[in-house]
Amino acid sequence: MNRQATPTAAAPWTGRRRHAPEWLAPALFLAPALALLAVFLLYPLIESLRLSLVEWNGLGKGRVDVGLDNWSALLRDAQFWRALGNNLLLALMSVLVQLPIALALALLLDKAGRGSRTLKILYFLPLLFSSVALGVIFKNIFDPHFGPINTALNAIGATALAQDWLGDRRFALLTVTAVVCWQNIPFYMILFLAALASFPPELREAARLDGASDATIFWKIKLPHLQGTVRTAAMLAVIGSLRYFDLIYVMTGGGPEGASELMATYMYRTVFSSFQLGYGSTVASAMFLVVALIAAFGMRLTKRFETRV
Amino acid sequence: MRGAGTTRSKPWTRGIVWTLALGWLALTLLPLAFVVFTSLKSQQDSFDKPVWALPSHLDWSHYASVLQGGFFTYLRNSAFVVGTSVVLIVLIAALAAYALVRLKFRFDKALFGLIVAAMIVPLHITLVPIYLLTRDLGLYDTPFALIGPYVATSLPVSVFILTEFMRQIPRELQEAAQLDGCGPWTIFLRIFLPLSGPGIATVAIYNGMHLWNEFIFANVLTSSPGNRTLPLALWDYQGEFSSNLPAMLAVVTLTSLPLIVVYAFGQERIVKAMMAGSLKG
């Protein structure tokens, strides 16, 4: 390395490579990442929007330009709206069920002291399983004839409560939502635990000396401290719910009769079972628009909250 | 922290706390116990006796038949695809993060914002074009087909995590090296890469876990058992074992075992990595 410790050498990168333009180094460092993102994210995004304007089965030359026909069909497609509705219901349930339970568990662990380490390790387990594995597991657990749930209900004489959990239109969506919650609660619990760990103990001590009860400390001190994390978690839960796929695809495939259909499962079936690549791309593009809109809205909302706090 | 919390609570409060904690533990463990339990039953037992009955004897035959089948091919494919992807992700994301954090150039903030915003894109919109691209390139139904999408879709969150880590490396180190005449490459290789160790471990674990269980790309871009990854092993076995529940659950156990073993050894790190990866919102 030729040492050039002259005063001019302090200017960025002129010391060694006198002739290299200044943008060259950043460009080279970023090139692999940008190239990959361009090929596997940006190009597919644009290509999907283009495919949303054609009718095509994916093979040969039968690709027909249909303009906005797919989009107007989408607007009239009850199945798509039902899927969107299911997505929104899943999002709502995620926020209203997952987050409170996750928060409660985090508070429990935070309070439980010594035993909580083992509990935390065991609570984490669902996050280690692939969605296919969980799908297979819960399909069997909710099996109407051999599954442990109905077997147990029948054994204690509660036969009336035994249901065809995944095969009945009234229960399919609720059942899969319960499993989604089971899978994801540990994740949010970990998130809240991290936030609680950063809670300054002096604050609690001070409040106690002032005679504050556990409940007051929770509502007046801890919850405000967790506010940012709760918002982050809510945002993650909503966006995650809008693009949810794996578990539901494995457990019900969106059925029965579309009762548990989501935008992603609908898109997947349209493309890879019915081979309507054009219309499937329209569904995918609509899904992207919904997620982008809600994310942008959510970010504005959280920003506004932040400036107010 | 513990002192005030536990000594002052009334006994019945602690009782409620522990009941709830153990209740959730049961909800977590019972489904998993059902899997391991049933996988060790003979097919006859699983038909004749209620699900909670103990196996009349431990029947390992399902595990044996799964292991003698194509299981190790799936395992090898998973190890290859995930291993290669994680190495590439770490390297490419580290290069990009370094440029975004420490090389000044026009639009660096805008570019960072754009890369991070890509975390929101639902992967499903990329599925059809990537499927067509893979087919046209002749990569369809090879393990190689998965590496490009895996690396690219993991980059946004990885770049985000690594920039957070690299921001904490003191500027003085870089300035001193610059005065010694080191160029950006030397500084990256000698200073930033070694000092980003914890960040790199976080990125590797977070993506490794995600990709190990990845399903949708693997399902769309490969089709024959010889080229598929572990999550698809279950998918492929489903037909074969549709009437043999213990065998099916033996496959579930075997495909889930690698991550559980890794978790047993490094749970502290894994939990931390999951946290770092999620704090992006």
Side-chain angles (χ1 to χ4, degrees):
Chain A
M1 212 141 295
N2 55 343
R3 300 178 125 252
Q4 293 190 348
T6 55
T8 52
W13 322 124
T14 47
R16 205 169 66 134
R17 294 178 195 191
R18 230 180 266 274
H19 306 293
E22 222 170 281
W23 52 265
L24 187 68
L28 288 175
F29 273 95
L30 283 160
L34 293 181
L36 277 164
L37 288 173
V39 174
F40 291 104
L41 218 58
L42 187 63
Y43 161 76
L45 199 79
I46 296 166
E47 183 65 10
S48 266
L49 291 171
R50 273 172 24 130
L51 281 169
S52 78
L53 305 176
V54 305
E55 220 170 80
W56 190 32
N57 66 2
L59 294 165
K61 292 207 172 89
R63 196 164 156 167
V64 185
D65 189 353
V66 294
L68 290 172
D69 281 8
N70 284 335
W71 285 93
S72 68
L74 184 84
L75 292 179
R76 284 177 278 112
D77 186 347
Q79 191 59 42
F80 172 77
W81 292 106
R82 173 139 109 183
L84 175 60
N86 287 345
N87 271 117
L88 293 174
L89 192 75
L90 185 67
L92 192 73
M93 293 292 275
S94 298
V95 173
L96 295 184
V97 177
Q98 278 179 43
L99 298 192
I101 295 181
L103 182 59
L105 288 172
L107 288 165
L108 286 184
L109 288 187
D110 196 46
K111 237 180 172 330
R114 212 179 307 162
S116 71
R117 223 183 89 86
T118 320
L119 280 181
K120 192 175 85 182
I121 293 173
L122 294 173
Y123 283 166
F124 190 88
L125 283 174
L127 293 173
L128 296 173
F129 287 77
S130 74
S131 295
V132 195
L134 291 181
V136 171
I137 294 172
F138 281 99
K139 219 156 66 176
N140 283 298
I141 285 179
F142 286 109
D143 184 282
H145 306 296
F146 307 105
I149 302 242
N150 276 2
T151 316
L153 287 172
N154 288 329
I156 59 168
T159 318
L161 292 175
Q163 305 290 347
D164 186 359
W165 299 102
L166 291 166
D168 187 323
R169 295 166 50 180
R170 289 170 300 167
F171 298 106
L173 185 63
L174 281 177
T175 309
V176 288
T177 305
V179 179
V180 172
C181 290
W182 183 87
Q183 177 191 28
N184 286 313
I185 282 171
F187 171 78
Y188 294 106
M189 178 198 78
I190 297 274
L191 208 64
F192 290 135
L193 262 178
L196 283 173
S198 73
F199 181 73
E202 310 90 69
L203 228 57
R204 190 210 315 237
E205 295 305 317
R208 277 199 191 280
L209 288 177
D210 289 345
S213 67
D214 274 349
T216 319
I217 291 181
F218 173 71
W219 289 109
K220 293 273 167 68
I221 304 174
K222 275 196 184 167
L223 210 54
H225 174 78
L226 287 173
Q227 212 184 24
T229 316
V230 171
R231 275 202 306 262
T232 305
M235 186 84 173
L236 285 176
V238 169
I239 292 177
S241 305
L242 290 174
R243 50 185 193 189
Y244 205 81
F245 176 79
D246 291 9
L247 248 180
I248 292 185
Y249 178 69
V250 176
M251 278 167 65
T252 66
E257 296 166 56
S260 62
E261 192 87 278
L262 301 178
M263 289 187 287
T265 57
Y266 187 46
M267 172 263 160
Y268 192 90
R269 283 196 304 114
T270 313
V271 172
F272 296 101
S273 306
S274 324
F275 303 105
Q276 296 175 281
L277 267 66
Y279 192 59
S281 299
T282 314
V283 176
S285 305
M287 183 180 162
F288 169 67
L289 290 180
V290 170
V291 174
L293 265 175
I294 291 186
F297 181 70
M299 273 177 205
R300 275 197 86 149
L301 212 66
T302 47
K303 270 230 178 80
R304 198 182 315 149
F305 274 123
E306 256 152 26
T307 49
R308 210 180 280 169
V309 171
Chain B
M1 221 165 162
R2 180 175 126 70
T6 39
T7 49
R8 288 230 197 163
S9 320
K10 298 179 187 77
W12 63 268
T13 323
R14 293 184 62 184
I16 293 177
V17 166
W18 278 103
T19 311
L20 291 174
L22 294 176
W24 186 260
L25 186 66
L27 267 183
T28 303
L29 293 185
L30 278 176
L32 307 180
F34 161 73
V35 174
V36 178
F37 222 58
T38 311
S39 72
L40 290 169
K41 288 181 179 176
S42 68
Q43 204 178 348
Q44 202 55 42
D45 271 8
S46 83
F47 269 129
D48 296 348
K49 297 182 179 163
V51 281
W52 48 81
L54 288 167
S56 56
H57 66 283
L58 293 185
D59 186 342
W60 294 95
S61 64
H62 311 298
Y63 285 88
S65 62
V66 173
L67 288 175
Q68 278 154 16
F71 181 80
F72 287 105
T73 314
Y74 292 102
L75 185 68
R76 200 188 55 217
N77 289 339
S78 267
F80 168 71
V81 171
V82 176
T84 314
S85 300
V86 166
V87 170
L88 288 172
I89 291 164
V90 164
L91 201 71
I92 295 172
L95 283 168
Y98 172 69
L100 290 167
V101 169
R102 283 298 142 84
L103 300 180
K104 285 280 150 252
F105 57 98
R106 283 179 76 182
F107 310 125
D108 53 352
K109 292 228 168 60
L111 198 59
F112 174 73
L114 216 61
I115 293 177
V116 173
M119 287 193 284
I120 288 174
V121 176
L123 298 181
H124 307 89
I125 197 176
T126 68
L127 219 51
V128 172
I130 288 180
Y131 164 70
L132 295 172
L133 189 74
T134 308
R135 220 177 55 180
D136 294 344
L137 290 174
L139 288 173
Y140 177 73
D141 198 20
T142 68
F144 298 100
L146 300 176
I147 294 173
Y150 279 7
V151 176
T153 53
S154 308
L155 280 177
V157 68
S158 309
V159 169
F160 180 75
I161 296 174
L162 282 174
T163 51
E164 297 282 294
F165 274 89
M166 286 189 182
R167 260 187 250 280
Q168 289 158 20
I169 297 175
R171 265 181 197 283
E172 293 77 38
L173 279 176
Q174 175 173 356
E175 280 157 10
Q178 265 173 267
L179 283 174
D180 282 348
C182 294
W185 297 98
T186 321
I187 294 178
F188 172 73
L189 286 173
R190 298 265 173 83
I191 300 176
F192 275 78
L193 214 49
L195 287 182
S196 307
I200 286 174
T202 302
V203 168
I205 292 171
Y206 182 76
N207 291 309
M209 281 183 59
H210 266 267
L211 298 179
W212 189 264
N213 284 335
E214 203 283 335
F215 169 67
I216 191 166
F217 277 123
N219 193 27
V220 168
L221 301 180
T222 63
S223 59
S224 46
N227 295 318
R228 295 195 132 179
T229 51
L230 269 187
L232 273 301
L234 279 163
W235 204 243
D236 294 341
Y237 278 116
Q238 246 181 351
E240 188 182 333
F241 292 136
S242 56
S243 58
N244 188 348
L245 184 59
M248 196 60 218
L249 294 181
V251 184
V252 171
T253 313
L254 281 173
T255 58
S256 310
L257 212 55
L259 265 192
I260 291 174
V261 170
V262 173
Y263 180 62
F265 286 104
Q267 24 91 13
E268 227 23 69
R269 267 232 96 92
I270 289 176
V271 170
K272 277 203 182 112
M274 293 300 282
M275 258 153 36
S278 61
L279 289 171
K280 59 198 184 187

